[in-house]
Amino acid sequence: MTPLRSPVRLACPGCGREYEERSFASICLDCGSLLDLTAENADPKAVLKRRFHGRRGMTRGIFASGVWRYRELVVPTMEDDEIISYPEGNTPLITNARLMEFAGIEALMVKHEGMNPTGSFKDRGMTVAMSQAKRAGARAVACASTGNTSASLAAYAALAGLRGLVLIPAGKISMGKLAQTMAHGATTLAVRGDFDDCLALLREASDALGVYVVNSVNPFRLAGQRTIVFEMLQQLEWDAPDWIVLPAGNLGNTSAFGAALEVAHGIGLIARIPRLAAIQASGAAPFAKAFADGFRSHLTVHPETIATAIRIGAPASWDRAIKAIRATNGVVAAVTDEEILEAKKVVDEAGVGCEPASAASVAGVRQLVARGVIGKSERVVAVLTGHMLKDPGIIVERGRPPIEIDATLEAVEEALSRA
Ligand code: F0G
């Protein structure tokens, strides 16, 4: 009997080699390219839309997750009892007048991925990668991280009952992220070096030690992260915006967004493809520099930025991010730390709140509008990737300090009159 053909294909985009779906490979053993995961879909768009609509608002079971709601487009072969879910996703799409005013456009929305269970978009990829780790029988899971992936890995490894190992750049991750990683019980190694050193070491260690790597080089992670786009499009009733703007570091999300738009457009869920704008911090902007040069060169830089989440000088998903930018007629830009901090202050004071790296997207919208790249009447969704409380240090350091007073009414009155 011929086995049923799986609708899921794990394959190398470079040389075409195919891998068994439960393989632990993220990188082609023949040519070294990052593997792609694709889910073949046979359902017409109307059927999918009806199903996605029907699952919205469910409070129990796997469809309570804003990732697994789109199961047909994620990993359709994952069985209910194999899924490790918090649940995650279901993040708000926010309209805020102060943000629009700051950015200089009238139709700006922000998709707040900081409202995921561990406070960043990483949970969307982690539910898929951890489910894969568990069903394929991994002993331990590991990642290199600027902090958010490690927090998410630690939580999901705990949910799955797997051992977690994380490599972080010593002294260069924010307090909130470190605390989460420690609290959820992952083995945490602070490496003297930057994120790029951590990732290189992890790749070496994973081969030698046989742990499953769940960085964004992992195709299951990216399959989960595509749902940021699916969910946003569903929230917009499949009327695609003109632009989707996101912060970019290791370029996993940029790649995932490109793939998601290709899938959504291919099926006919959306009639046209929005343009992607990937925003880097200017001290860690090899991709923005390469874009300016028509992607003729593959650069690496020594990264430095206050936005520690995107303090990355040698992005891993380089080639597939180029594909995403080209396929969406996208752009790549860089914003300075000052621009990031200015945007963060506005986002925070608007009552929305985000971590510094996330503010890069809002700073990016403002810059692109000022440069005339984004038109004043265009509809834009900016993605906020992480929660404000991820990096309390920067707020305490730079924000308005509390006013210490004696416990008297006069002191309160005086403080109020000064404020
Ligand atoms: N925003 C936040 C808050 C992040 O934590 C990251 C990446 C990005 C944006 C950039 O996304 O790498 O897909 O381009 N953080 C990773 C980590 C590197 O280890 O937590 P990307």
Side-chain angles (χ1 to χ4, degrees):
M1 206 176 103
T2 7
L4 277 178
R5 225 175 115 248
S6 170
V8 173
R9 184 167 177 264
L10 184 62
C12 174
C15 68
R17 177 166 168 181
E18 300 221 9
Y19 290 78
E20 202 272 317
E21 189 187 322
R22 289 176 190 232
S23 158
F24 285 147
S26 287
I27 293 168
C28 181
L29 300 172
D30 284 343
C31 74
S33 303
L34 299 180
L35 301 185
D36 278 343
L37 185 74
T38 45
E40 210 171 277
N41 168 63
D43 297 314
K45 65 179 178 190
V47 171
L48 285 178
K49 281 188 183 177
R50 214 175 311 125
R51 271 191 218 144
F52 297 156
H53 185 76
R55 293 169 188 167
R56 193 151 63 168
M58 282 192 177
T59 54
R60 295 176 60 196
I62 63 154
F63 297 135
S65 161
V67 171
W68 296 103
R69 177 182 310 133
Y70 308 98
R71 173 195 219 156
E72 290 82 348
L73 311 181
V74 179
V75 186
T77 52
M78 196 74 77
E79 301 289 341
D80 286 25
D81 59 2
E82 290 173 329
I83 290 174
I84 308 291
S85 169
Y86 191 94
E88 49 291 306
N90 299 308
T91 60
L93 193 59
I94 302 167
T95 308
N96 182 289
R98 283 158 81 175
L99 295 186
M100 290 188 207
E101 194 190 321
F102 175 73
I105 44 169
E106 277 165 21
L108 172 67
M109 286 158 282
V110 289
K111 174 92 175 136
H112 207 325
E113 285 296 302
M115 299 305 166
N116 271 292
T118 76
S120 84
F121 72 94
K122 306 288 180 179
D123 298 337
R124 291 191 184 257
M126 205 55 75
T127 177
V128 185
M130 204 61 71
S131 303
Q132 166 73 356
K134 185 94 183 180
R135 78 168 176 174
R139 199 165 59 93
V141 288
C143 73
S145 178
T146 56
N148 278 325
T149 303
S150 59
S152 184
L153 177 147
Y156 280 79
L159 290 175
L162 289 173
R163 281 197 62 180
L165 170 72
V166 308
L167 274 61
I168 52 171
K172 291 293 182 187
I173 83 165
S174 68
M175 187 60 80
K177 300 171 190 178
L178 180 62
Q180 288 179 291
T181 308
M182 290 164 57
H184 290 304
T187 301
T188 307
L189 307 181
V191 178
R192 290 182 213 103
D194 57 27
F195 170 82
D196 307 300
D197 299 317
C198 292
L199 188 55
L201 176 61
L202 175 70
R203 282 176 164 177
E204 203 183 321
S206 66
D207 288 343
L209 308 176
V211 293
Y212 185 47
V213 175
V214 294
N215 268 94
S216 63
V217 293
N218 181 308
F220 289 84
R221 274 275 310 277
L222 295 191
Q225 286 173 207
R226 287 179 203 162
T227 65
I228 302 170
V229 169
F230 299 145
E231 191 176 271
M232 163 202 308
L233 294 173
Q234 186 177 16
Q235 284 166 317
L236 295 172
E237 279 151 35
W238 309 106
D239 181 12
D242 296 301
W243 289 90
I244 299 176
V245 185
L246 76 162
N250 213 23
L251 301 176
N253 243 6
T254 305
S255 310
F257 280 32
L261 291 171
E262 193 184 321
V263 168
H265 188 250
I267 297 171
L269 293 172
I270 50 173
R272 63 194 172 85
I273 296 192
R275 298 177 71 182
L276 284 181
I279 314 295
Q280 296 206 290
S282 56
F287 196 57
K289 287 202 186 84
F291 172 76
D293 181 33
F295 290 126
R296 268 186 288 275
S297 43
H298 187 155
L299 308 169
T300 58
V301 300
H302 179 72
E304 203 47 82
T305 166
I306 46 107
T308 52
I310 50 175
R311 190 174 170 277
I312 295 172
S317 289
W318 187 272
D319 292 339
R320 48 191 178 198
I322 291 178
K323 187 174 164 229
I325 295 298
R326 286 197 171 132
T328 62
N329 187 23
V331 300
V332 189
V335 289
T336 62
D337 280 2
E338 288 67 39
E339 288 177 285
I340 289 174
L341 288 171
E342 190 190 3
K344 174 173 159 57
K345 191 164 182 306
V346 174
V347 175
D348 289 353
E349 291 184 356
V352 176
C354 70
E355 69 162 286
S358 308
S361 62
V362 174
V365 176
R366 180 177 159 93
Q367 189 201 89
L368 292 171
V369 170
R371 283 169 46 197
V373 178
I374 294 181
K376 293 226 181 253
S377 59
E378 292 194 288
R379 286 166 74 231
V380 180
V381 177
V383 180
L384 298 180
T385 43
H387 198 280
M388 185 176 81
L389 288 176
K390 286 286 191 172
D391 194 348
I394 203 156
I395 302 169
V396 174
E397 217 174 88
R398 292 170 187 259
R400 276 200 303 174
I403 306 164
E404 193 172 320
I405 57 162
D406 290 329
T408 66
L409 185 58
E410 295 75 50
V412 176
E413 272 184 329
E414 204 216 309
L416 265 182
S417 67
R418 268 196 283 145

